[in-house]
Amino acid sequence: MLLLIPALALAEPAELSVWHSYRGAEREALEQVLADYDAAHPELKVVPLAVPTESFASKLEAAAPRGNGPELFIAASERIGSWSASGIVEPLVIDEAAYHPVTVDGVRWQEQTWGVPLASKCLALYYNRDLVTSPPQTTDALLELAGSQRGGDRYGLAYEAASPYFNAAWLHGYGGGLFTAGAPTLDSPENAAAMAFVLGMVEGDLLPQEPTGALVTQLFNAGQAAMVINGPWMLGEIDPSVDFAIAPLPLVSETGQPAAPYVTVEAAFVSAYAKHPDEAAELARALGVGEAAIARGVQGRQTVAELAAWEDPRLSQDPILGAFKAQLDRGVPMPLRPEMGATWEPMAKAWRRVLRGAMPPEMALSAAQTELEIVTRPPPPAVDWRPYAAVLGLGLLGVFGWIGHSAWQQRREIALWRHAYAYVAPAALAMGALVLLPFIVGAGVSFFAHQDGSFTFVGIQHYLDIVLARDWAVTSPQSFWFTLAVTVLWTVANVVLHVGLGVGLAMLLREKWVRMRGVFRVLLILPWAIPNYITALIWKGMFHRQFGAINGLLVALGAEPVSWFGSFWTAFAANLTTNTWLGFPFMMVVTLGALQSIPRDLEDAAEVDGASGWQRFRHITLPLLRPALLPAVILGSVWTFNMFNVIYLVSGGEPDGSTEILVSEAYRWAFTRQHQYGYASAYAVLIFGVLLLYSRAMNRIAGQKVL
């Protein structure tokens, strides 16, 4: 048996883990193809794993270098620039003639191909055949047709007009784009012309106001939008009763060039950390051609990259796939440069500024170019780490010395309460592992600059850049001090409303003359019980300029509708309203509990002595509520100070990032601005410092140690 062990080990099939983020029919088609390949290759064991799209890149970048990642992964090719620089993927030789040229360009970076193109996704023109007999071929025809369809609640055209991704087709149609000679160039005259074209459609009332993806789909399904611009992901959301067709986007009449959307190429990549790279490369090539490509096209409804697959009549005669294939011929592959990810935020701000009339296109693009240059600036220069290590060592020595000295002085009390310490120890260890250790690691990251997967020690440069406002003017919405002022205003306003409403409702609900008090208590606690992100999305829809319930109420009362996210104060009010709805039940519950311990005899006696209701509340009830309310106020302040969900989901920082708070700004630096984890960690440490000072001050006011 011992002699057989090596032979059994050699016979063990090589495991190829395959990560992907497909769902629905695409997932079923891919996993069937992988199962067929696994059955045909007994020496291999193919293991597919579906990873959510939102976390795919971060999981891959964290797991692969540590040997926990996949052998092969299927993802959009737009991260090739950063993945190749950080050593996540390996170059892969393919038969370029077998694939559509646009998809090959979508996996080529620095004169090398990095994956096998499998499929493509891009925008196209959907049209309702009951309203539009033939799709427009030029933008002039598009505007004429959209104008003829406009009337009442119906629009001729609908799409996410403030999105830089959806508007990229117009940029390319006017001869513009985001890069010129390899350098980011947002402020080109061609881009300004494209913005002016879209602005003309908005000012001509041809597009719905503040359109979102859900709104566009809803309008199309309800017959209130004759045409929409969207991608293949919309197919599963269209009502079966809608008779629709798809066509390529029209030519731009002014330039004669096609409106060319970005093409996202989905490719199979071999991990640089694969244990079986040759087998993984062979599987990647097999997924892109032959029956595997046809199966993904027919069953998964994908616009496959292999040219020979389109000879199959099931693909070539499919009108939907054929339309996306025709649009692919006019598409522009998504740029693979690492700077590409940093262009979305400044371009989105530029589009929103133009469409709400805050800036002309040229000025908005100039501001976007300036912001992009700041975000993509080189990291601070490396510094010598040894002085910092010496200071850290002395600090730790002092801390441990102080702890040892204190423990020695109190050794008798420690021995006396050793059983209590034993009970507390598991919780202390858990807090240390789950709270203290991550905080120390995060604080340590703030001394490093991250670029292309590597970290460079830069000392306190991030803190100096933030505190001294080196990148942004102090009055800029992107500066730390402006955001801190907004955060303080946000926290104070919320806590005042939370406490005021909570205490007021609690005082009312304790009165015996209020009928159905139990029912009201349950109903009023529901806003706190419902997950806050769901509540935030509901309020976001209610604040919509054109279709929101709040503006509908204002119009019914004879007032003008408000563009809630078009100015700082209205956007701030929308955030404040949402978070007040979420926060007052907590204060109400705390106050109701505290009121149960206050004898009514005290208030009755004061009433007999002639004290008014306000005097009784101020001099009797409120002082007795203070021990319970102050800890709740401190906790509520900390929660509100870091209330990321409401800011992110309701206003999104609009307008121009002016309603961001510190925690949402830290998120931007970490995930939408070149993954500057060190800069974001410095933000987080400063947030902790502000909250620590606030908590200490409140503890002194409370006269008791709360935190």
Side-chain angles (χ1 to χ4, degrees), residues 126-133 220 223 225-227 242-245:
Y126 289 71
Y127 61 97
N128 189 323
R129 299 175 65 177
D130 293 332
L131 303 174
V132 177
T133 55
F220 192 68
M227 298 175 288
V242 178
D243 183 15
F244 73 97

Side-chain angles (χ1 to χ4, degrees), residues 62 177 308 454:
S454 61

Side-chain angles (χ1 to χ4, degrees), residues 38 48 115 142 155 178 243 272 285 298 308 341 395 458 485 543 561 638 640:
D38 181 71
L142 176 72
Y155 291 85
L178 302 182
D243 183 15
R285 296 187 185 96
V298 174
V458 297
F543 281 114
V638 173
T640 303

